[in-house]
Amino acid sequence: MKTSFSLNLLLRDNIKKLVPYSSARDEFKGEASILLDANENAFGSPYARNYNRYPDPLQHRVKEKLHRIKGVPVENIFLGNGSDEAIDILFRAFCEPGRDNVILVPPTYGMYEVSANINNVAYKKVNLTIDYQLDLDGIAEAIDAHTKLIFICSPNNPTGNSIRRQDIETILVNFDGIVVVDEAYINFSKQPSFTTDLVEFPNLVVLQTLSKAWGLAALRLGMAFANKEIIEIFNKIKPPYNINQATQDIVLEALEGVEIVNEWIKEVVGEREKLSAALQVLPQVAHVTPSDANFILVKLEEPRALYNFLVDKGIIVRDRSKVELCEGCLRLTIGTPAENNTLLKEVKRFY
Ligand code: PMP
């Protein structure tokens, strides 16, 4: 149990003082039949029914369902317009531009750095080790009095491996800022989620998303799980109606399909292992990093030429060959069995 954590010490002064936006419907708790408070169009829209009213700003029904699926209490759930919104809010809540800093552990998801730059917040990079694990000594050295956030992506994008749980716990215990564990790809992994550790670690924020295993990237629904005080801050900062009604409606239905999603996950994992094995035996493939995600990082000969060859065939993969520690690598998302077969066929044709 971590005891040395003070949220008040971490928060920016303007956020401590912030009076959040509130609507008449937040204040009014009863039943109303005539809604003349929010300047909506009472007639509705001729093109789409039931979208003339603003959506529930705290998405109670969606959170209730997520609670049933994930076991995390509603008060510990924040919903964002993609988890990218949660990443941005973390900067706005905790990092004073020009003063504070965050720690990134590359190669990792690019949005942490972009969000830091948008918010004019400095970052220190402590590269992963050559086996794509945390450099705990390097991180301990990089932490200073103004370090507010450490971003750890597990399973990591673009490498695909999980970060050792014990190492993440070491950072959670020793760092008094916020540790963000981005679990966008957790459904493809056998590793347990950190969502069960929120009580033990008050400085933990876990990110997940419906954009990957749940197949709902276009709807933009990301989740942050954290202690109640952190979630309250997220809710204070977010735009009032950040999750639109169409998304809330479709997600409520989609969350009924846990069994189907689990079947897809099994299929993706099976395809991942099949494709990894088939690539690994090619003489031009130096290495396939064992993956806990729905993509694989493959080190191979002539990555850029292969990338261009695939583009010509209408197949788009991600070229990571110039990224430090991913030299010579392409990142391949696992598609349908037919797509994966076509990819493999074209890779063989190229060589
Ligand atoms: N985290 C990681 C590690 C990702 O790879 C991505 C998407 N590529 C995201 C977060 C963003 O997800 P969302 O669609 O929920 O914004």
Side-chain angles (χ1 to χ4, degrees):
M1 186 80 188
K2 187 179 177 72
T3 50
S4 60
F5 175 72
S6 163
L7 192 57
N8 211 41
L9 281 181
L10 283 181
L11 271 181
R12 293 171 69 195
D13 283 339
N14 60 317
I15 302 300
K16 275 185 216 163
K17 289 185 231 145
L18 181 70
V19 179
Y21 175 82
S22 83
S23 71
R25 271 167 236 177
D26 294 337
E27 293 153 24
F28 172 77
K29 301 285 181 233
E31 283 285 309
S33 54
I34 300 181
L35 295 170
L36 301 177
D37 60 309
N39 305 344
E40 298 147 337
N41 181 341
F43 295 96
S45 159
Y47 302 106
R49 278 180 202 200
N50 300 327
Y51 290 128
N52 58 326
R53 300 295 177 190
Y54 284 104
D56 174 4
L58 291 174
Q59 311 98 16
H60 289 91
R61 294 176 68 206
V62 177
K63 286 180 185 169
E64 196 51 58
K65 208 164 256 186
L66 284 169
H67 158 63
R68 272 182 265 143
I69 292 171
K70 295 182 178 289
V72 178
V74 166
E75 65 185 24
N76 299 114
I77 305 175
F78 165 83
L79 299 183
N81 192 333
S83 35
D84 285 343
E85 184 178 31
I87 293 168
D88 181 63
I89 288 179
L90 281 158
F91 281 97
R92 290 194 281 151
F94 296 110
C95 301
E96 197 61 43
R99 185 194 71 186
D100 294 334
N101 65 73
V102 304
I103 292 179
L104 310 179
V105 292
T108 192
Y109 181 42
M111 205 57 199
Y112 315 136
E113 184 170 336
V114 172
S115 253
N117 286 330
I118 290 169
N119 288 288
N120 194 21
V121 170
Y123 46 85
K124 303 185 189 188
K125 290 185 172 180
V126 181
N127 279 356
L128 295 176
T129 58
I130 44 167
D131 57 347
Y132 298 144
Q133 290 297 329
L134 297 175
D135 170 4
L136 288 179
D137 291 339
I139 291 171
E141 267 172 45
I143 293 171
D144 66 32
H146 294 298
T147 305
K148 296 301 183 77
L149 310 170
I150 299 179
F151 286 91
I152 298 166
C153 186
S154 181
N156 187 40
N157 177 6
T159 58
N161 63 298
S162 296
I163 303 297
R164 269 193 297 273
R165 194 179 174 81
Q166 182 62 51
D167 291 353
I168 297 177
E169 286 183 6
T170 300
I171 294 180
L172 279 161
V173 169
N174 293 308
F175 177 52
D176 286 335
I178 304 275
V179 180
V180 184
V181 180
D182 187 341
E183 296 185 339
Y185 300 98
I186 190 77
N187 304 76
F188 304 103
S189 145
K190 289 203 181 73
Q191 299 294 318
S193 166
F194 266 93
T195 50
T196 53
D197 301 73
L198 296 173
V199 174
E200 189 169 353
F201 300 113
N203 57 337
L204 169 65
V205 173
V206 180
L207 302 180
Q208 293 185 5
T209 178
L210 298 190
S211 300
K212 310 297 174 185
W214 283 88
L216 297 172
L219 293 184
R220 313 304 302 129
L221 198 99
M223 299 157 269
F225 304 99
N227 81 52
K228 183 166 163 271
E229 287 70 32
I230 293 179
I231 296 300
E232 280 168 3
I233 289 157
F234 271 60
N235 285 333
K236 234 166 108 168
I237 295 176
K238 78 178 183 69
Y241 307 111
N242 62 330
I243 309 297
N244 71 68
Q245 189 63 51
T247 295
Q248 295 194 39
D249 289 345
I250 300 170
V251 162
L252 267 178
E253 261 184 64
L255 288 175
E256 291 297 317
V258 182
E259 282 96 23
I260 302 171
V261 170
N262 284 338
E263 283 307 309
W264 284 346
I265 291 168
K266 263 192 227 153
E267 188 161 354
V268 169
V269 168
E271 283 292 306
R272 177 185 78 201
E273 297 310 311
K274 233 168 72 183
L275 185 63
S276 300
L279 288 166
Q280 190 71 81
V281 295
L282 300 180
Q284 297 86 355
V285 170
H287 186 59
V288 181
T289 303
S291 172
D292 276 348
N294 66 339
F295 56 84
I296 49 178
L297 188 72
V298 187
K299 189 176 173 75
L300 31 65
E301 286 173 16
E302 300 178 76
R304 189 65 198 180
L306 172 59
Y307 172 86
N308 289 330
F309 176 85
L310 292 172
V311 168
D312 277 347
K313 308 285 177 219
I315 300 171
I316 315 294
V317 299
R318 192 87 153 111
D319 180 4
R320 302 279 78 188
S321 60
K322 299 278 180 283
V323 173
E324 204 178 345
L325 289 171
C326 298
E327 288 86 358
C329 290
L330 298 180
R331 192 194 70 190
L332 312 176
T333 303
I334 305 303
T336 63
E339 289 171 340
N340 304 330
N341 284 338
T342 306
L343 171 72
L344 187 60
K345 206 173 71 196
E346 294 299 346
V347 170
K348 286 179 178 167
R349 191 173 292 166
F350 171 75
Y351 288 123

PDB file of all heavy atoms in Angstrom, residues 107-127:
ATOM      1  N   PRO A 107      11.284   3.031 -27.314  1.00  0.00           N
ATOM      2  CA  PRO A 107      10.234   3.327 -28.266  1.00  0.00           C
ATOM      3  C   PRO A 107       8.851   3.033 -27.682  1.00  0.00           C
ATOM      4  O   PRO A 107       8.624   1.961 -27.143  1.00  0.00           O
ATOM      5  CB  PRO A 107      10.540   2.363 -29.422  1.00  0.00           C
ATOM      6  CG  PRO A 107      11.249   1.211 -28.778  1.00  0.00           C
ATOM      7  CD  PRO A 107      12.027   1.789 -27.652  1.00  0.00           C
ATOM      8  N   THR A 108       7.956   4.022 -27.804  1.00  0.00           N
ATOM      9  CA  THR A 108       6.627   3.835 -27.242  1.00  0.00           C
ATOM     10  C   THR A 108       5.606   4.640 -28.036  1.00  0.00           C
ATOM     11  O   THR A 108       5.954   5.244 -29.047  1.00  0.00           O
ATOM     12  CB  THR A 108       6.615   4.184 -25.736  1.00  0.00           C
ATOM     13  OG1 THR A 108       5.399   3.727 -25.159  1.00  0.00           O
ATOM     14  CG2 THR A 108       6.753   5.677 -25.488  1.00  0.00           C
ATOM     15  N   TYR A 109       4.380   4.654 -27.583  1.00  0.00           N
ATOM     16  CA  TYR A 109       3.291   5.323 -28.305  1.00  0.00           C
ATOM     17  C   TYR A 109       3.608   6.812 -28.474  1.00  0.00           C
ATOM     18  O   TYR A 109       3.945   7.501 -27.505  1.00  0.00           O
ATOM     19  CB  TYR A 109       1.993   5.110 -27.529  1.00  0.00           C
ATOM     20  CG  TYR A 109       0.771   5.732 -28.155  1.00  0.00           C
ATOM     21  CD1 TYR A 109       0.549   5.657 -29.525  1.00  0.00           C
ATOM     22  CD2 TYR A 109      -0.165   6.404 -27.373  1.00  0.00           C
ATOM     23  CE1 TYR A 109      -0.581   6.226 -30.105  1.00  0.00           C
ATOM     24  CE2 TYR A 109      -1.301   6.961 -27.933  1.00  0.00           C
ATOM     25  CZ  TYR A 109      -1.495   6.873 -29.295  1.00  0.00           C
ATOM     26  OH  TYR A 109      -2.607   7.439 -29.861  1.00  0.00           O
ATOM     27  N   GLY A 110       3.472   7.309 -29.702  1.00  0.00           N
ATOM     28  CA  GLY A 110       3.931   8.648 -30.031  1.00  0.00           C
ATOM     29  C   GLY A 110       3.119   9.790 -29.442  1.00  0.00           C
ATOM     30  O   GLY A 110       3.590  10.925 -29.347  1.00  0.00           O
ATOM     31  N   MET A 111       1.894   9.488 -29.021  1.00  0.00           N
ATOM     32  CA  MET A 111       1.012  10.582 -28.604  1.00  0.00           C
ATOM     33  C   MET A 111       1.446  11.231 -27.285  1.00  0.00           C
ATOM     34  O   MET A 111       1.104  12.389 -27.026  1.00  0.00           O
ATOM     35  CB  MET A 111      -0.414  10.029 -28.497  1.00  0.00           C
ATOM     36  CG  MET A 111      -1.497  11.041 -28.663  1.00  0.00           C
ATOM     37  SD  MET A 111      -1.389  11.916 -30.230  1.00  0.00           S
ATOM     38  CE  MET A 111      -2.378  13.338 -29.827  1.00  0.00           C
ATOM     39  N   TYR A 112       2.200  10.487 -26.458  1.00  0.00           N
ATOM     40  CA  TYR A 112       2.627  11.094 -25.184  1.00  0.00           C
ATOM     41  C   TYR A 112       3.522  12.304 -25.477  1.00  0.00           C
ATOM     42  O   TYR A 112       3.391  13.357 -24.855  1.00  0.00           O
ATOM     43  CB  TYR A 112       3.394  10.094 -24.301  1.00  0.00           C
ATOM     44  CG  TYR A 112       2.773   8.713 -24.187  1.00  0.00           C
ATOM     45  CD1 TYR A 112       3.566   7.563 -24.284  1.00  0.00           C
ATOM     46  CD2 TYR A 112       1.411   8.556 -23.971  1.00  0.00           C
ATOM     47  CE1 TYR A 112       3.013   6.301 -24.186  1.00  0.00           C
ATOM     48  CE2 TYR A 112       0.848   7.295 -23.870  1.00  0.00           C
ATOM     49  CZ  TYR A 112       1.661   6.166 -23.983  1.00  0.00           C
ATOM     50  OH  TYR A 112       1.114   4.919 -23.887  1.00  0.00           O
ATOM     51  N   GLU A 113       4.419  12.127 -26.435  1.00  0.00           N
ATOM     52  CA  GLU A 113       5.342  13.205 -26.790  1.00  0.00           C
ATOM     53  C   GLU A 113       4.585  14.351 -27.478  1.00  0.00           C
ATOM     54  O   GLU A 113       4.828  15.529 -27.195  1.00  0.00           O
ATOM     55  CB  GLU A 113       6.443  12.652 -27.710  1.00  0.00           C
ATOM     56  CG  GLU A 113       7.489  13.688 -28.040  1.00  0.00           C
ATOM     57  CD  GLU A 113       8.705  13.074 -28.753  1.00  0.00           C
ATOM     58  OE1 GLU A 113       8.954  11.856 -28.592  1.00  0.00           O
ATOM     59  OE2 GLU A 113       9.392  13.824 -29.465  1.00  0.00           O
ATOM     60  N   VAL A 114       3.652  14.004 -28.372  1.00  0.00           N
ATOM     61  CA  VAL A 114       2.876  15.028 -29.075  1.00  0.00           C
ATOM     62  C   VAL A 114       2.071  15.850 -28.060  1.00  0.00           C
ATOM     63  O   VAL A 114       2.058  17.080 -28.088  1.00  0.00           O
ATOM     64  CB  VAL A 114       1.945  14.380 -30.129  1.00  0.00           C
ATOM     65  CG1 VAL A 114       0.995  15.412 -30.731  1.00  0.00           C
ATOM     66  CG2 VAL A 114       2.771  13.712 -31.226  1.00  0.00           C
ATOM     67  N   SER A 115       1.419  15.148 -27.130  1.00  0.00           N
ATOM     68  CA  SER A 115       0.620  15.840 -26.111  1.00  0.00           C
ATOM     69  C   SER A 115       1.502  16.740 -25.241  1.00  0.00           C
ATOM     70  O   SER A 115       1.107  17.853 -24.877  1.00  0.00           O
ATOM     71  CB  SER A 115      -0.080  14.832 -25.206  1.00  0.00           C
ATOM     72  OG  SER A 115      -1.442  14.781 -25.463  1.00  0.00           O
ATOM     73  N   ALA A 116       2.704  16.255 -24.913  1.00  0.00           N
ATOM     74  CA  ALA A 116       3.639  17.080 -24.128  1.00  0.00           C
ATOM     75  C   ALA A 116       3.962  18.344 -24.918  1.00  0.00           C
ATOM     76  O   ALA A 116       3.918  19.462 -24.375  1.00  0.00           O
ATOM     77  CB  ALA A 116       4.913  16.298 -23.818  1.00  0.00           C
ATOM     78  N   ASN A 117       4.237  18.190 -26.202  1.00  0.00           N
ATOM     79  CA  ASN A 117       4.575  19.355 -27.022  1.00  0.00           C
ATOM     80  C   ASN A 117       3.393  20.316 -27.157  1.00  0.00           C
ATOM     81  O   ASN A 117       3.565  21.526 -27.084  1.00  0.00           O
ATOM     82  CB  ASN A 117       5.063  18.907 -28.407  1.00  0.00           C
ATOM     83  CG  ASN A 117       6.471  18.336 -28.346  1.00  0.00           C
ATOM     84  OD1 ASN A 117       7.275  18.752 -27.494  1.00  0.00           O
ATOM     85  ND2 ASN A 117       6.774  17.393 -29.213  1.00  0.00           N
ATOM     86  N   ILE A 118       2.200  19.776 -27.366  1.00  0.00           N
ATOM     87  CA  ILE A 118       1.022  20.650 -27.483  1.00  0.00           C
ATOM     88  C   ILE A 118       0.857  21.483 -26.209  1.00  0.00           C
ATOM     89  O   ILE A 118       0.536  22.661 -26.254  1.00  0.00           O
ATOM     90  CB  ILE A 118      -0.260  19.807 -27.733  1.00  0.00           C
ATOM     91  CG1 ILE A 118      -0.218  19.201 -29.133  1.00  0.00           C
ATOM     92  CG2 ILE A 118      -1.523  20.652 -27.545  1.00  0.00           C
ATOM     93  CD1 ILE A 118      -1.287  18.157 -29.396  1.00  0.00           C
ATOM     94  N   ASN A 119       1.118  20.832 -25.074  1.00  0.00           N
ATOM     95  CA  ASN A 119       0.926  21.511 -23.796  1.00  0.00           C
ATOM     96  C   ASN A 119       2.178  22.252 -23.315  1.00  0.00           C
ATOM     97  O   ASN A 119       2.210  22.750 -22.194  1.00  0.00           O
ATOM     98  CB  ASN A 119       0.458  20.494 -22.741  1.00  0.00           C
ATOM     99  CG  ASN A 119      -0.981  20.066 -22.981  1.00  0.00           C
ATOM    100  OD1 ASN A 119      -1.895  20.833 -22.750  1.00  0.00           O
ATOM    101  ND2 ASN A 119      -1.176  18.859 -23.492  1.00  0.00           N
ATOM    102  N   ASN A 120       3.199  22.277 -24.173  1.00  0.00           N
ATOM    103  CA  ASN A 120       4.445  22.973 -23.839  1.00  0.00           C
ATOM    104  C   ASN A 120       5.064  22.454 -22.533  1.00  0.00           C
ATOM    105  O   ASN A 120       5.452  23.224 -21.653  1.00  0.00           O
ATOM    106  CB  ASN A 120       4.191  24.490 -23.760  1.00  0.00           C
ATOM    107  CG  ASN A 120       5.489  25.278 -23.755  1.00  0.00           C
ATOM    108  OD1 ASN A 120       6.536  24.778 -24.194  1.00  0.00           O
ATOM    109  ND2 ASN A 120       5.442  26.506 -23.268  1.00  0.00           N
ATOM    110  N   VAL A 121       5.071  21.128 -22.416  1.00  0.00           N
ATOM    111  CA  VAL A 121       5.626  20.485 -21.226  1.00  0.00           C
ATOM    112  C   VAL A 121       6.876  19.695 -21.635  1.00  0.00           C
ATOM    113  O   VAL A 121       6.867  18.985 -22.647  1.00  0.00           O
ATOM    114  CB  VAL A 121       4.576  19.545 -20.586  1.00  0.00           C
ATOM    115  CG1 VAL A 121       5.195  18.682 -19.495  1.00  0.00           C
ATOM    116  CG2 VAL A 121       3.417  20.366 -20.039  1.00  0.00           C
ATOM    117  N   ALA A 122       7.939  19.848 -20.866  1.00  0.00           N
ATOM    118  CA  ALA A 122       9.203  19.173 -21.193  1.00  0.00           C
ATOM    119  C   ALA A 122       9.091  17.673 -20.918  1.00  0.00           C
ATOM    120  O   ALA A 122       8.287  17.245 -20.076  1.00  0.00           O
ATOM    121  CB  ALA A 122      10.324  19.757 -20.340  1.00  0.00           C
ATOM    122  N   TYR A 123       9.876  16.871 -21.661  1.00  0.00           N
ATOM    123  CA  TYR A 123       9.898  15.434 -21.372  1.00  0.00           C
ATOM    124  C   TYR A 123      11.331  14.955 -21.357  1.00  0.00           C
ATOM    125  O   TYR A 123      12.198  15.486 -22.036  1.00  0.00           O
ATOM    126  CB  TYR A 123       9.077  14.646 -22.395  1.00  0.00           C
ATOM    127  CG  TYR A 123       9.330  15.029 -23.824  1.00  0.00           C
ATOM    128  CD1 TYR A 123      10.388  14.479 -24.552  1.00  0.00           C
ATOM    129  CD2 TYR A 123       8.507  15.974 -24.439  1.00  0.00           C
ATOM    130  CE1 TYR A 123      10.620  14.859 -25.861  1.00  0.00           C
ATOM    131  CE2 TYR A 123       8.742  16.356 -25.743  1.00  0.00           C
ATOM    132  CZ  TYR A 123       9.792  15.795 -26.450  1.00  0.00           C
ATOM    133  OH  TYR A 123      10.034  16.180 -27.744  1.00  0.00           O
ATOM    134  N   LYS A 124      11.557  13.933 -20.544  1.00  0.00           N
ATOM    135  CA  LYS A 124      12.863  13.283 -20.520  1.00  0.00           C
ATOM    136  C   LYS A 124      12.649  11.883 -21.065  1.00  0.00           C
ATOM    137  O   LYS A 124      11.717  11.197 -20.635  1.00  0.00           O
ATOM    138  CB  LYS A 124      13.390  13.194 -19.095  1.00  0.00           C
ATOM    139  CG  LYS A 124      13.502  14.536 -18.401  1.00  0.00           C
ATOM    140  CD  LYS A 124      14.150  14.336 -17.047  1.00  0.00           C
ATOM    141  CE  LYS A 124      14.077  15.606 -16.235  1.00  0.00           C
ATOM    142  NZ  LYS A 124      14.863  15.490 -14.984  1.00  0.00           N
ATOM    143  N   LYS A 125      13.529  11.483 -21.970  1.00  0.00           N
ATOM    144  CA  LYS A 125      13.388  10.150 -22.546  1.00  0.00           C
ATOM    145  C   LYS A 125      14.383   9.203 -21.882  1.00  0.00           C
ATOM    146  O   LYS A 125      15.578   9.490 -21.843  1.00  0.00           O
ATOM    147  CB  LYS A 125      13.651  10.206 -24.047  1.00  0.00           C
ATOM    148  CG  LYS A 125      12.563  10.923 -24.825  1.00  0.00           C
ATOM    149  CD  LYS A 125      12.826  10.839 -26.311  1.00  0.00           C
ATOM    150  CE  LYS A 125      11.633  11.379 -27.082  1.00  0.00           C
ATOM    151  NZ  LYS A 125      11.821  11.318 -28.533  1.00  0.00           N
ATOM    152  N   VAL A 126      13.867   8.114 -21.363  1.00  0.00           N
ATOM    153  CA  VAL A 126      14.734   7.054 -20.822  1.00  0.00           C
ATOM    154  C   VAL A 126      14.424   5.814 -21.652  1.00  0.00           C
ATOM    155  O   VAL A 126      13.394   5.154 -21.437  1.00  0.00           O
ATOM    156  CB  VAL A 126      14.449   6.786 -19.333  1.00  0.00           C
ATOM    157  CG1 VAL A 126      15.386   5.706 -18.802  1.00  0.00           C
ATOM    158  CG2 VAL A 126      14.576   8.064 -18.511  1.00  0.00           C
ATOM    159  N   ASN A 127      15.286   5.528 -22.617  1.00  0.00           N
ATOM    160  CA  ASN A 127      15.007   4.420 -23.541  1.00  0.00           C
ATOM    161  C   ASN A 127      14.752   3.108 -22.815  1.00  0.00           C
ATOM    162  O   ASN A 127      15.340   2.840 -21.756  1.00  0.00           O
ATOM    163  CB  ASN A 127      16.200   4.202 -24.474  1.00  0.00           C
ATOM    164  CG  ASN A 127      16.191   5.199 -25.626  1.00  0.00           C
ATOM    165  OD1 ASN A 127      15.264   5.999 -25.776  1.00  0.00           O
ATOM    166  ND2 ASN A 127      17.233   5.143 -26.436  1.00  0.00           N
TER     167      ASN A 127
END
